[in-house]
Amino acid sequence: MTQDAARITLVLGGARSGKSRYAEGLCRAHGGERVYVATAEARDEEMRVRVRQHKADRAGDGWRTIEETLDLAGLLEREAAPGRVLLVDCLTLWLTNHLLGGSDIVGETDALTDAVSVFPGRLVLVANEVGFGIVPENRLAREFRDHAGRLNQRIAAAADEVTLVVAGLPVVVKGK
Amino acid sequence: MTQDAARITLVLGGARSGKSRYAEGLCRAHGGERVYVATAEARDEEMRVRVRQHKADRAGDGWRTIEETLDLAGLLEREAAPGRVLLVDCLTLWLTNHLLGGSDIVGETDALTDAVSVFPGRLVLVANEVGFGIVPENRLAREFRDHAGRLNQRIAAAADEVTLVVAGLPVVVKGK
Amino acid sequence: MTQDAARITLVLGGARSGKSRYAEGLCRAHGGERVYVATAEARDEEMRVRVRQHKADRAGDGWRTIEETLDLAGLLEREAAPGRVLLVDCLTLWLTNHLLGGSDIVGETDALTDAVSVFPGRLVLVANEVGFGIVPENRLAREFRDHAGRLNQRIAAAADEVTLVVAGLPVVVKGK
């Protein structure tokens, strides 16, 4: 890693915007050991099959996959290592898991932001931008949207680099 | 205000994007007397309490607050003054108030655009970007989305500077 | 067309973002013969009247209008000509027509991307960005959003220039 390279990158994007693929490209460019942190919770057999398949695909492509649906702060502390790059895909599913589990969202957001701020290695985090539509009629959807927006602001403030992916292409929001 | 400084700034952003905080920062940087124009209509006691609290908080922070839910054009004409900065937060709630009140939206949009165009001082306007989701199933939501998009285009054309706030960070759309 | 000019431009934007007007401006700047490719399907008499009116308005403004709701790939092959500019408005309605018609979306997306890639003249394509809201509750809306996102990524990769229109103003995403 050169002196100028970003340490913490937040990749934001809409649904099917190509944000995960863009984030994977950043990690490959880094060169070192690649760890993929999957936050998706496999809620049924169909999803378990799909998750296993993706994990096998990434293994063939040189990634080690860790599934962590809730304790991202603890994982970041444990897995930091020189020359290693971590890709967290994605923060929005992690938030969903905590909302469905009844967690203290403010506390979890604070703990994750702290863990990101002090992370000593190379870290790429993917999150959904979900606030550019009309106000949802569903109260839970409104709360989710508020929490996701606040989480993105906190992580963006802690990151060296923030990129918004539009139709597969990066728009620099912070850094370089 | 230096010769190069923007006179009229439109700050766009999604829900919980940090657009209001960013707009407040612009006004503090301006230095002069700060007037906060709140367009939110307090429809119940809970909201009245919250609005009073926000007003008190801003007063402690050096703002004078004016509540104006409908006649923004008249307010801009009355309140313009040398060295004073006005922050309108936000245009999207003002539009909502007019839609719920059965106003002539085209006429109101024209009148507001004219008032913004001739405003002689420093003005910062906040608005929601609401058109980047799928077409809403609800007809009123579709109409609201169309009116909000047209309003944002009109005000953006009249502004010297347009900034899109993404995760608390500014993306320059017009100006500088 | 100078050596530096874009050949293929994708104009993305939300609802009522001014994307069509911006795309029309690009075509006028080109100077050559202007062909407007309308993909909207007139499903009732009210819409047929509106489509005829728009067509007459554009004719007065120097455009030839072709209505093509499904076979855009074939049309691009037939209508390419030196000095001519084609404006396709819009890809998202074309996708909607194919989804409602039960087409093979992957095959149609591939064929259109190929036709865009080899198009020998000046081409401006308009599409909606629909993925920046919360996950829709409706399954069909979720599928549509996924297809639209993938289509935008494919066409963006084939384009020389991609512009996101925000409140009527262009944000360069690719090119120049």
Side-chain angles (χ1 to χ4, degrees), chain A residues 68-138:
Chain A
E68 179 54 67
T69 59
L70 292 169
D71 185 22
L72 278 184
L75 179 137
L76 292 181
E77 207 179 321
R78 282 193 310 276
E79 292 290 335
R84 183 185 286 171
V85 57
L86 264 71
L87 169 53
V88 176
D89 192 2
C90 72
L91 296 182
T92 315
L93 284 174
W94 169 83
L95 178 68
T96 304
N97 296 336
H98 273 295
L99 277 166
L100 294 176
S103 301
D104 162 24
I105 300 299
V106 172
E108 291 294 337
T109 298
D110 284 350
L112 180 60
T113 305
D114 289 349
V116 167
S117 299
V118 303
F119 189 79
R122 175 81 176 108
L123 175 62
V124 179
L125 304 131
V126 175
N128 275 70
E129 175 51 65
V130 299
F132 284 102
I134 62 151
V135 180
E137 291 181 38
N138 179 315

Side-chain angles (χ1 to χ4, degrees), chain B residues 8 42 50 54 58 60 77-78 81 84 106 111 114-115 128-129 132 136 138 150 154 160 167 170 173:
Chain B
I8 313 291
R50 217 185 314 159
H54 284 167
R58 281 192 300 268
E77 206 179 322
R78 283 193 310 276
R84 183 184 287 173
V106 172
D114 289 348
N128 275 70
E129 174 52 63
F132 284 102
N138 180 313
R150 285 193 206 101
R154 295 291 301 282
D160 307 298
V173 176

